[in-house]
Amino acid sequence: MEDVQLMDAIERYLRNEMSPEERAHFEQLRQSNPDIDQLVVEHTMFLQQMDQFSEWKNFRSTLQDVHHQLTDEGEIKEGAPKATVVSLLRKYKKVMAVAASIAGITTVLIAGGVSWYTRQASNAELQQLRREFKIEVANKKNEVLDEVNAKMSKAPQNAELISGGTGFLIDGKGFLVTNAHVIKGGSTFVVQSNKGQEFRAQTAYVNYNSDIAILKINDNDWKPHTILPYSFRKGNSELGEPLFTLGFPREEIVYNEGYMSAKTGYNGDTLTCQIGVPANPGNSGGPVFNKNGEVIGIINTRLRQAEGVVFALTAKNIIRTLETIKREDSTFKSLKLPANTQIKGMDRVQQIKKIEDCVFMVKSY
Amino acid sequence: MKTDPREIALLEGLAKNDRQAIETIYKQHYNMVQSLIINNSGSVDDARDIFQEAMIVLYEKARSGSFELNCLLKTYLYSVCRRLWLKRLQQQQKMVPDINGLEDLIPVEEEIDQHGQRSSAYQMMEKAMMNLGEPCRSLIDAFYLQKKSMTDIASFFGYTNADNAKNQKYKCLMRLKKLFFSAYKNNNNL
């Protein structure tokens, strides 16, 4: 009988149904008697379990309910028609495999025969043909381009293209960062988006020692971006971290991926880092992203005598430079680096779609 | 990536066991999961089980308060269902084919382990309740799950007064605890 009262007391205690005096009395009892204390602890756990169990049960019955209701209403359909195709596929897997391999062998034999008969003559000729073809196309393309350029291009008349590279937005208002060596020797700069639209730009800051340059787009056609998809990585990057780059080694934007190879650059330079990403002339000034879409660096050089050794200015270095010039130069007062990456967790294709509008080809005349 | 505010609202609704929210999620994602399961040697019933289990995972997560959905709800549910289904196939010791479709988009291993532990505790409780027999089961259900008062219970079950009902409930509770804790301990020892 006593046990019943004790359990009743414990339950009232746990439900806060006791009067203050009774509660104080019970707490004292709990302290003096470890058995009772143990019972309270055990029962608390049990009640929690019961509560969770009850919620779980309710939720499950709601789910079942919803399922039946939606099936009745025809909102969801049980069974998928695809299954038959799949089972057919399974059934005839072997037959299909045999048929496919016969077809494969025949193809290889025919291809082998053809190439054996034509082998002697092919090599030199083929290459020649290809070269001519290429030149022809290039010539034609140039004619058209010249015509269009004369009307459309924002490049200065009769000026020669000195060098080119890549740049990317660091502020939606039109501030781009690139390498100083990309714009070295030029007097007029044009940046071109992946869609081919050109914008006139002016240098806002150049530092050949750190190889950082900032361009400001100064063009009536320019529409500011309200928000940039990527941000700058403030901390250090880890070795082996997967990376990707976007740049303009060609007339078209090119994606590449790789990894963080070393935390320092050439000769132990701590302002740069080494990355294992293929890079070619034109990639200079291009952003290097980690998988979250944070800029971890800017590609600037590669080792001539070694394959696949590319160096990038670290994001930290860039942030520091920007902070310094913001303090010293009032034209940069309004410059604000993007705070958060908007593309974390997206798959790569989506990420690139968001980023590519913010990466530009930089042409220096 | 910012989570869609509509999906945040859905999760909040889900945490409150709001039927509207459950219906919306169900409508939007059930067919995707069903074709995943059926195309990977499962049945319609398997699809329903797996989807509902994934909903419970989501429900538990949403209730925990610390949950941040850093991807689309669709991606999350897909990843959870895919994991759950792989696990079930392994348990049935069926040949595990490469599950078709996209690879695991987000890691959900931890969630599913936690969920597995919780759900086995619930199943033990359910079994203990089943083994309890009548009238104990209804009495416990009324008091602990439906949270009815002792006087209501006394009149409903035909006890002469609340104290009598209390005595009966006490006996039932002790039996339930014994059943539950012995199963719990056995399971933990295994």
Side-chain angles (χ1 to χ4, degrees):
Chain A
M1 225 36 211
E2 215 179 63
D3 288 343
V4 185
Q5 276 151 10
L6 181 62
M7 188 49 78
D8 188 46
I10 291 173
E11 284 189 345
R12 279 194 298 126
Y13 171 72
L14 291 176
R15 290 168 179 218
N16 265 333
E17 287 171 1
M18 282 181 165
S19 66
E21 305 95 68
E22 202 184 0
R23 193 175 176 80
H25 180 71
F26 188 81
E27 267 163 7
Q28 208 181 2
L29 190 70
R30 208 182 142 183
Q31 269 172 12
S32 59
N33 190 335
D35 282 347
I36 291 179
D37 187 54
Q38 172 67 31
L39 211 58
V40 173
V41 173
E42 189 208 78
H43 202 64
T44 314
M45 183 216 151
F46 183 79
L47 285 183
Q48 263 174 13
Q49 190 69 44
M50 281 302 257
D51 280 347
Q52 284 173 6
F53 172 68
S54 145
E55 279 158 10
W56 175 74
K57 241 180 102 175
N58 287 338
F59 187 70
R60 269 197 0 166
S61 70
T62 320
L63 279 179
Q64 282 290 357
D65 238 37
V66 168
H67 187 94
H68 288 303
Q69 187 198 325
L70 292 179
T71 322
D72 285 348
E73 286 171 3
E75 294 278 2
I76 55 174
K77 281 196 184 63
E78 288 194 330
K82 268 186 195 169
T84 50
V85 179
V86 171
S87 66
L88 275 179
L89 212 75
R90 289 227 173 90
K91 208 168 161 190
Y92 293 109
K93 214 189 252 170
K94 262 189 195 160
V95 182
M96 277 167 65
V98 172
S101 43
I102 290 172
I105 290 165
T106 319
T107 316
V108 168
L109 281 177
I110 292 171
V114 170
S115 66
W116 192 80
Y117 281 114
T118 51
R119 188 182 283 163
Q120 287 89 350
S122 68
N123 254 346
E125 275 174 33
L126 212 87
Q127 216 152 23
Q128 201 119 46
L129 271 175
R130 217 150 115 205
R131 199 181 298 145
E132 279 168 10
F133 185 57
K134 226 170 152 185
I135 290 167
E136 215 175 313
V137 169
N139 278 343
K140 272 215 179 110
K141 200 171 154 201
N142 276 346
E143 277 168 32
V144 177
L145 272 183
D146 284 345
E147 230 171 272
V148 174
N149 273 350
K151 283 179 198 151
M152 304 270 295
S153 179
K154 289 178 177 165
Q157 297 264 316
N158 303 325
E160 218 168 291
L161 190 64
I162 300 173
S163 64
T166 307
F168 61 102
L169 290 176
I170 50 171
D171 186 303
K173 289 188 280 295
F175 286 101
L176 285 133
V177 68
T178 184
N179 283 138
H181 74 253
V182 169
I183 58 166
K184 193 172 185 179
S187 53
T188 317
F189 308 105
V190 172
V191 299
Q192 184 183 330
S193 76
N194 189 34
K195 296 189 185 95
Q197 201 177 3
E198 289 183 323
F199 303 102
R200 287 187 201 90
Q202 291 171 336
T203 47
Y205 169 84
V206 190
N207 185 337
Y208 292 108
N209 289 330
S210 61
D211 201 15
I212 294 176
I214 294 171
L215 296 174
K216 172 86 173 73
I217 294 178
N218 223 336
D219 198 305
N220 293 334
D221 294 342
W222 168 251
K223 285 188 198 73
H225 291 232
T226 46
I227 195 159
L228 295 182
Y230 45 78
S231 65
F232 279 81
R233 166 107 183 198
K234 294 190 181 66
N236 282 319
S237 302
E238 296 302 322
L239 282 191
E241 199 176 327
L243 305 172
F244 66 97
T245 63
L246 285 170
F248 286 92
R250 305 170 41 198
E251 281 285 313
E252 199 181 330
I253 199 160
V254 173
Y255 168 83
N256 257 315
E257 58 182 32
Y259 42 81
M260 182 83 179
S261 306
K263 287 187 181 178
T264 59
Y266 188 57
N267 275 345
D269 181 4
T270 54
L271 297 178
T272 56
C273 58
Q274 185 189 328
I275 58 173
V277 181
N280 292 300
N283 269 116
S284 262
V288 184
F289 298 97
N290 67 10
K291 66 176 194 316
N292 294 336
E294 294 168 309
V295 177
I296 67 112
I298 299 180
I299 296 182
N300 77 327
T301 50
R302 70 170 175 184
L303 214 57
R304 230 182 274 270
Q305 66 269 39
E307 190 97 341
V309 180
V310 176
F311 299 112
L313 303 170
T314 62
K316 252 180 158 176
N317 178 9
I318 300 156
I319 295 172
R320 204 179 312 127
T321 310
L322 290 175
E323 275 167 2
T324 323
I325 58 171
K326 257 181 98 169
R327 243 179 287 130
E328 286 166 1
D329 192 337
S330 59
T331 47
F332 294 107
K333 268 272 153 58
S334 65
L335 182 92
K336 201 164 167 280
L337 286 181
N340 289 311
T341 163
Q342 310 293 321
I343 51 179
K344 190 176 175 182
M346 281 189 189
D347 71 296
R348 187 55 47 83
V349 176
Q350 297 300 324
Q351 286 182 329
I352 293 167
K353 274 196 185 131
K354 297 259 180 195
I355 297 171
E356 66 180 0
D357 291 337
C358 303
V359 180
F360 294 83
M361 188 197 302
V362 177
K363 295 192 280 193
S364 149
Y365 292 92
Chain B
M1 178 185 168
K2 276 192 188 131
T3 314
D4 189 333
R6 273 171 301 174
E7 296 204 331
I8 293 175
L10 276 181
L11 285 180
E12 279 167 1
L14 186 67
K16 285 183 230 138
N17 200 353
D18 169 37
R19 201 184 160 104
Q20 197 69 43
I22 297 172
E23 268 181 38
T24 313
I25 300 176
Y26 221 104
K27 255 188 249 173
Q28 284 172 350
H29 304 294
Y30 179 74
N31 287 337
M32 164 189 78
V33 172
Q34 184 175 254
S35 44
L36 168 76
I37 304 294
I38 288 181
N39 286 337
N40 289 286
S41 52
S43 67
V44 175
D45 289 336
D46 288 330
R48 187 177 59 192
D49 278 4
I50 293 290
F51 183 75
Q52 294 193 349
E53 209 171 334
M55 286 292 280
I56 295 174
V57 173
L58 193 65
Y59 170 70
E60 281 167 350
K61 276 292 194 187
R63 283 181 67 90
S64 72
S66 59
F67 180 51
E68 266 181 53
L69 186 72
N70 284 322
C71 56
L72 287 177
L73 197 52
K74 183 178 166 162
T75 316
Y76 186 82
L77 279 173
Y78 184 91
S79 307
V80 170
C81 288
R82 189 182 175 280
R83 260 289 109 213
L84 286 171
W85 182 234
L86 270 176
K87 215 172 152 186
R88 182 161 309 177
L89 285 177
Q90 271 162 1
Q91 275 166 2
Q92 292 170 349
Q93 301 196 319
K94 278 194 184 157
M95 270 249 296
V96 179
D98 273 346
I99 281 219
N100 301 324
L102 303 162
E103 48 200 296
D104 253 355
L105 291 167
I106 46 164
V108 288
E109 204 69 53
E110 214 174 294
E111 270 112 312
I112 286 176
D113 279 353
Q114 281 175 7
H115 164 75
Q117 281 167 12
R118 267 200 218 115
S119 105
S120 68
Y122 296 147
Q123 270 151 20
M124 274 180 251
M125 185 67 89
E126 197 160 47
K127 212 174 153 200
M129 289 281 272
M130 289 297 287
N131 290 338
L132 206 53
E134 293 297 349
C136 272
R137 197 187 323 156
S138 307
L139 204 56
I140 295 280
D141 196 277
F143 187 73
Y144 288 102
L145 304 186
Q146 297 169 39
K147 312 236 185 261
K148 286 189 178 152
S149 80
M150 225 50 223
T151 24
D152 285 352
I153 291 173
S155 66
F156 183 78
F157 286 90
Y159 293 104
T160 43
N161 57 40
D163 274 339
N164 265 345
K166 231 179 239 179
N167 276 332
Q168 187 58 39
K169 188 214 80 186
Y170 174 76
K171 281 181 202 156
C172 294
L173 178 66
M174 285 300 122
R175 272 181 52 206
L176 177 66
K177 271 185 153 182
K178 208 174 150 192
L179 283 168
F180 174 71
F181 280 109
S182 72
Y184 197 78
K185 268 174 205 146
N186 274 338
N187 198 282
N188 279 2
N189 287 342
L190 281 174

